Amino acid sequence: MGNNSERTQVLQRIVETAAQLTVAKYAVLVIVTREKRILEFVPFGVTEERVAKIGERPQFRGILKIVRKTGRPLRIADVRTHPARYGIPEHHPVITSLLAVPIKLHGDTEGLLYLANKRSAREFSAADEAAVTALAEAAGIAIENSRLFQQERRRERWIEMGAEVTRLLLNPASRDEALPLVLRRIREVSRAFTGVIALVERTASEERIVFEAMDGIETDHDETVSIQLRRPSILASVIDTGAPILTTDLQDDPRYNPTPIWAALSEDVGLAMFMPLTAEGETMGVLALTWRRGSPDEAVAIEDAELMQSFADQAALALHQQRLQYDRERRGRWLEAGFGLTRLLLNDVDRDEALPMVIRRFRAVSAADYAGLITVDPADPDTAVLAVVEGLDLEATAGTRIGRRGLAARVIETRQRVVSDDLTHEPEYDPPPEWAEAISVIGLGMLIPLVVSGDVFGILYAGWRRDSPQERVGRREIDMVEAFAGQAALALQHVQSQEARARMRVLEDRDRIASDLHDVVIQRLFAVEMRLHSAAGLSTDPQVRQRIDAAIDDLDDMTREVRSTIFSLHHEEGDEASIRSQLLYEIDSARAVLGFTPRLVVRGPVDRGVSPRLRSELVPAVRDALANAAAHLSPTEVEVTVRVTGDELVLTVTDDGADIGGSPPEARVAELKTRALHLGGSFDVRSGERGNLLEWHVPLAS
C-alpha cells in the first residue's frame, strides 16, 4: 500500500467483508488523528447522495465516544433507547442494532469500525464481535503499513531534497536564487501553507531579522524585508537557545509576538514549526513553516517534525559553507581591488587622476550607492574640500569647500572611523545642503580616515541605500572597507611624494635658470648698456644720440622683463613667499630704472593680515607706482610705504621729481585707479612744490 488510494481500497474491502460476515445493512470505518480530525472515512450501504446529504461526518460523541475512550468493543440491541444515542447527524439512516469495534495502533484507539442494523437477527452476536475485531486489527495493520511506507517515502524525499539543496547552495552560479528555490522545494515536500527563511543580522546597536526567502506569502510591505528582532518572541527563543519550537495553534501561543503585518499574514495558521539554522555552534537564522488550521497535512507534518529539523540542520551546514565561500570570495575581491589600486598609483599618475581612481575602484567592489573623498588642508583648519563625489547624481558638487565640522571634524580629530546604520539621522551629520534630498535614501554610512604616519590627510566616505542587499553586505565588510582605505592612503601618499619630488626638480631647474639669467644675461645687458652710454657721450650727432638713447631704453625694458622672469622663476604661482620679500624684489628691480634704490617702509601685520587675493593686487600696484615715479624728471628720492590698519591696506609712494607735463598724472596711472575702485577702495595722485604723492586705499575685506 504505497499511497492513499491503495490504502483506501484495502479499507473498503475490509468494510465490505465485515458487512457481509455480520449481515449488516450499514458499515463505516473511520480513522482519526490525535487532534480528532477525520483522516479516513469509508462507508458501506450508504449511497453517495445520502452521504452528501448528511454532510457532517460522524463525531466522536455519545456512543462512539464511549468506544474510543474505553478502547473496547460495544454491542447495542437498539440504539434508539440507549442513553448515549446523541451525536448522530441529521439525515443519517435510522440505526437499530449496532456493533462498534475500536481500531488500535500501538495500543491507542485511532479509529472505529462500526456496523448497524443486522439483517438476520435483532442484534449482533459475540461471534460477529470476534470477526469484526479481527477485521479491525487487519485494518490497523493496513493503516500502519501504509503509514510506515509513506513515512519512508517522505524520508527518501527529504534526503533527496537535502542533497539537492546542498548542490544549490554551494553552486556560485545559482547563489542569488538558491534560497527562494530551496524554500519552494521544502513547501512542496512538507505541503506547508507558507514558508520563510529568516537570517539574523547583528550590528552594534541592534539585531534584525532579514527575510531572505518567502514562499506562499504575497506582499511587498517593508516588514517582509527585515524587522528588528522582537523580544520576547518565538524567533528570539529559537535564535537564543538553538532549539526548535512546534506550536499546534500559532495564534493562541503566548510566545507569538508578531508585528501587525505578520499577525494579519498568519491569521489562518494552525500548526507552525520554527527550526533553527545552526552550524558550528552559531544559529544563523530560522526556517519557519506553517499549515492551515484544520488541514489534514498538519498531522503528517507533526510526524515529520524530526525529518524537517534534520533537513534544516543539513541546510544550515550548506548555508554556512556558502557564507564562508562567499566571504572568501569577497575578501579576495577586496584584496585584489587594494593591490590593483596600489599598482596603478605606483605608475606615473597625478593627484587629479589618482583620487577619482580610488573611488571608482572602491565603488566597484563595495557596490556603495555613493562614495567620495574629502581632503584636508593643514594650512586651513576651518574647511575641507569634497575632492571626489560619485553616485546619486552628486558629481556636480565635487570641488566644493565645506566647513570642517560635525562627523567629518570628529573623524579628522580622533582618527577614528564613524559607521552608522542610519547615517542621515545621526545628530552630528552635517552634509552640504544640496545633498539633502539625494541622500535621504541612505541607511548604512561610513566615514573612514585616511591616515599615514599618524596624520589624517583625508576621509573616505560611502553610503548604501536603506534595506538594500548591498547594504547588508556592506555591514559585514566594515573592516575590509577600512583596510582598503589604509591601502589607498599609502598609495595616495606615494602619489603626493612623487609630485613633491617632481616639483622639487622643477624648482631646482627654475633656480638654476634664474641664476643663469641673473649672473649672465643681466650682467651682459648691463655691460652693453654701459657701452652705449659711453658711445652716446662720444657722439655729437643728435640723431645718433637719439638712437642710442632709444636702444638704452629698450635695454632697460629688457632688463626689467628679465628680472620679472627671474622673480617668477623663484616664486611660482601659488607660492607662499611673504609680501615683504615680494615688495623687496620690486624695490630692487626699480633700481635699474631710477638709478638708485627706493626706500621701503612697511607698517602693520602685512604678511598675516593681507589675503591672497589682495596680495596678488598689491605687488603689481607697487610696480606700477614705481614706474610712475620713474617717469618724473630727475627724482633723487622715492619712498614706498605699505601700511595695514584695522580694516584697510594703504599704499603710498612719494618722490621729489618734477612733473614733465604732457598727459595728466591720472592718465599715467589709470590702471591703478581702476584696480582700486574694483576692490572697493579709492585712489589719489597729486603734485606740489614738495614733490609728488600717490595713494592707493583698499579694504582688507576685499
Side-chain angles (χ1 to χ4, degrees):
M1 290 183 292
N3 54 47
N4 292 338
S5 176
E6 292 177 355
R7 182 182 65 188
T8 301
Q9 291 176 10
V10 171
L11 296 180
Q12 184 70 51
R13 288 197 296 270
I14 289 174
V15 172
E16 292 174 357
T17 301
Q20 292 169 1
L21 287 175
T22 59
V23 197
K25 184 176 182 180
Y26 305 112
V28 174
L29 186 147
V30 181
I31 303 296
V32 296
T33 66
R34 291 183 177 85
E35 291 74 33
K36 301 180 182 180
R37 287 192 289 271
I38 294 177
L39 188 62
E40 286 280 2
F41 177 75
V42 184
F44 172 79
V46 183
T47 64
E48 292 183 3
E49 290 77 9
R50 174 62 70 90
V51 171
K53 191 174 183 180
I54 294 172
E56 183 183 7
R57 296 290 188 265
Q59 301 297 311
F60 284 85
R61 299 192 296 267
I63 296 172
L64 299 184
K65 182 179 180 180
I66 294 173
V67 177
R68 190 168 191 266
K69 186 175 182 180
T70 63
R72 294 193 297 270
L74 178 64
R75 285 182 288 149
I76 301 175
D78 192 347
V79 171
R80 293 171 296 182
T81 60
H82 196 281
R85 64 183 178 275
Y86 58 89
I88 299 174
E90 188 180 359
H91 305 297
H92 193 285
V94 176
I95 297 176
T96 53
S97 57
L98 177 71
L99 169 59
V101 177
I103 297 174
K104 295 184 178 182
L105 296 175
H106 306 294
D108 296 326
T109 301
E110 295 197 21
L112 295 175
L113 174 56
Y114 67 92
L115 301 101
N117 299 4
K118 185 175 176 66
R119 295 176 185 270
S120 59
R122 183 173 174 272
E123 61 181 308
F124 293 95
S125 64
D128 293 333
E129 181 179 322
V132 173
T133 299
L135 290 172
E137 291 175 356
I141 293 171
I143 293 168
E144 179 66 10
N145 288 340
S146 174
R147 181 178 296 173
L148 291 174
F149 181 83
Q150 291 183 13
Q151 283 181 344
E152 188 60 30
R153 286 292 301 132
R154 291 198 302 273
R155 183 184 301 275
E156 290 175 1
R157 291 188 67 188
W158 281 108
I159 292 173
E160 291 171 0
M161 189 172 67
E164 178 185 353
V165 165
T166 301
R167 287 194 301 272
L168 283 170
L169 290 176
L170 297 183
N171 181 7
S174 62
R175 181 177 294 158
D176 295 338
E177 302 173 358
L179 285 180
L181 186 57
V182 165
L183 188 59
R184 192 172 306 120
R185 295 285 290 118
I186 292 172
R187 279 192 66 216
E188 290 173 2
V189 175
S190 66
R191 302 180 66 83
F193 174 42
T194 65
V196 172
I197 293 178
L199 301 183
V200 62
E201 188 174 89
R202 297 177 175 90
T203 66
S205 58
E206 66 175 0
E207 287 180 302
R208 296 191 69 80
I209 292 295
V210 179
F211 300 104
E212 293 285 354
M214 293 185 295
D215 206 59
I217 299 172
E218 295 184 4
T219 178
D220 57 356
H221 195 278
D222 289 345
E223 288 188 9
T224 59
V225 176
S226 71
I227 59 171
Q228 187 172 359
L229 181 60
R230 299 164 71 93
R231 295 180 183 278
S233 68
I234 292 179
L235 285 178
S237 297
V238 174
I239 291 169
D240 292 342
T241 65
I245 288 179
L246 184 151
T247 176
T248 56
D249 195 337
L250 182 64
Q251 295 293 339
D252 289 340
D253 195 308
R255 297 168 295 182
Y256 189 47
N257 182 22
T259 64
I261 293 297
W262 280 99
L265 291 172
S266 59
E267 61 184 5
D268 294 331
V269 170
L271 175 68
M273 296 185 193
F274 298 85
M275 290 158 282
L277 297 171
T278 304
E280 302 294 334
E282 177 193 3
T283 300
M284 299 176 290
V286 176
L287 168 61
L289 300 172
T290 69
W291 288 262
R292 281 187 185 275
R293 187 182 295 106
S295 165
D297 296 316
E298 286 184 307
V300 177
I302 292 173
E303 290 180 0
D304 289 351
E306 291 186 6
L307 283 173
M308 293 185 200
Q309 183 57 59
S310 297
F311 169 81
D313 293 340
Q314 185 176 354
L317 283 172
L319 191 61
H320 181 67
Q321 289 298 319
Q322 180 205 52
R323 181 174 289 184
L324 291 177
Q325 182 176 333
Y326 179 74
D327 289 344
R328 282 195 298 270
E329 291 175 2
R330 290 293 298 168
R331 280 194 296 272
R333 288 195 62 192
W334 277 105
L335 288 173
E336 176 57 31
F339 291 146
L341 177 66
T342 302
R343 287 193 298 269
L344 285 172
L345 296 184
L346 287 177
N347 295 326
D348 188 16
V349 296
D350 61 26
R351 184 174 179 274
D352 292 337
E353 291 178 297
L355 296 182
M357 192 182 297
V358 169
I359 296 306
R360 284 196 297 271
R361 286 277 174 148
F362 173 78
R363 290 190 70 204
V365 69
S366 69
D369 290 287
Y370 88 114
L373 288 171
I374 297 173
T375 57
V376 298
D377 181 0
D380 186 357
D382 298 324
T383 64
V385 177
L386 295 172
V388 183
V389 185
E390 283 195 11
L392 300 180
D393 295 326
L394 296 174
E395 288 79 2
T397 61
T400 304
R401 187 169 288 273
I402 59 173
R404 194 186 294 186
R405 56 182 179 268
L407 293 182
R410 190 211 301 178
V411 172
I412 294 170
E413 292 167 5
T414 65
R415 303 183 182 87
Q416 299 294 317
R417 73 190 187 195
V418 170
V419 179
S420 172
D421 289 317
D422 194 3
L423 179 65
T424 56
H425 292 93
E426 283 290 324
E428 294 182 78
Y429 189 54
D430 187 20
E434 54 267 43
W435 283 21
E437 182 178 355
I439 65 172
S440 63
V441 300
I442 295 299
L444 174 67
M446 302 182 194
L447 288 87
I448 311 294
L450 300 175
V451 183
V452 177
S453 302
D455 295 325
V456 178
F457 67 86
I459 297 173
L460 169 67
Y461 63 89
W464 290 259
R465 289 182 186 273
R466 191 177 292 108
D467 293 327
S468 67
Q470 292 78 15
E471 181 193 43
R472 296 198 290 275
V473 174
R475 193 173 284 117
R476 296 198 300 267
E477 297 182 344
I478 296 171
D479 291 339
M480 285 182 268
V481 171
E482 192 166 35
F484 178 89
Q487 286 182 288
L490 289 171
L492 290 173
Q493 185 196 42
H494 175 77
V495 171
Q496 289 184 339
S497 299
Q498 280 185 319
E499 289 184 340
R501 287 192 294 270
R503 184 168 176 267
M504 186 60 67
R505 287 194 295 270
V506 170
L507 291 176
E508 290 173 353
D509 289 342
R510 292 164 69 97
D511 285 343
R512 178 180 54 77
I513 294 170
S515 297
D516 290 345
L517 288 173
H518 185 273
D519 296 341
V520 179
V521 177
I522 288 183
Q523 294 301 327
R524 294 183 66 180
L525 288 173
F526 183 72
V528 171
E529 185 177 351
M530 291 299 98
R531 288 198 295 272
L532 288 174
H533 275 293
S534 299
L538 297 174
S539 175
T540 57
D541 188 337
Q543 291 185 351
V544 172
R545 290 178 62 88
Q546 184 178 0
R547 291 190 177 186
I548 291 175
D549 289 343
I552 292 172
D553 290 342
D554 289 341
L555 286 174
D556 287 341
D557 291 339
M558 187 179 299
T559 300
R560 282 194 296 272
E561 291 179 5
V562 172
R563 287 181 181 275
S564 177
T565 301
I566 293 172
F567 178 80
S568 64
L569 287 170
H570 278 302
H571 305 282
E572 62 175 325
E573 184 179 355
D575 191 26
E576 296 298 330
S578 69
I579 295 180
R580 293 173 188 268
S581 64
Q582 296 181 53
L583 294 177
L584 285 171
Y585 184 84
E586 294 299 331
I587 294 295
D588 183 60
S589 299
R591 177 189 173 99
V593 180
L594 295 170
F596 60 89
T597 301
R599 181 168 180 258
L600 174 65
V601 179
V602 178
R603 293 192 177 94
V606 176
D607 285 322
R608 298 192 310 275
V610 178
S611 67
R613 181 188 180 193
L614 275 186
R615 179 185 301 190
S616 65
E617 297 286 354
L618 174 62
V619 174
V622 170
R623 189 181 304 130
D624 290 347
L626 286 170
N628 177 64
H632 297 154
L633 183 61
S634 303
T636 59
E637 291 184 3
V638 176
E639 182 175 285
V640 177
T641 302
V642 177
R643 185 174 73 255
V644 173
T645 63
D647 58 358
E648 190 177 45
L649 171 65
V650 180
L651 167 64
T652 304
V653 179
T654 60
D655 70 87
D656 60 355
D659 191 352
I660 60 175
S663 59
E666 291 86 350
R668 296 197 299 268
V669 288
E671 180 62 28
L672 275 171
K673 181 177 181 180
T674 300
R675 191 178 294 124
L677 295 176
H678 176 70
L679 294 172
S682 61
F683 174 79
D684 184 32
V685 58
R686 57 185 180 273
S687 300
E689 294 181 0
R690 303 180 61 179
N692 306 292
L693 173 68
L694 180 150
E695 286 187 327
W696 191 75
H697 295 252
V698 177
L700 288 175
S702 298

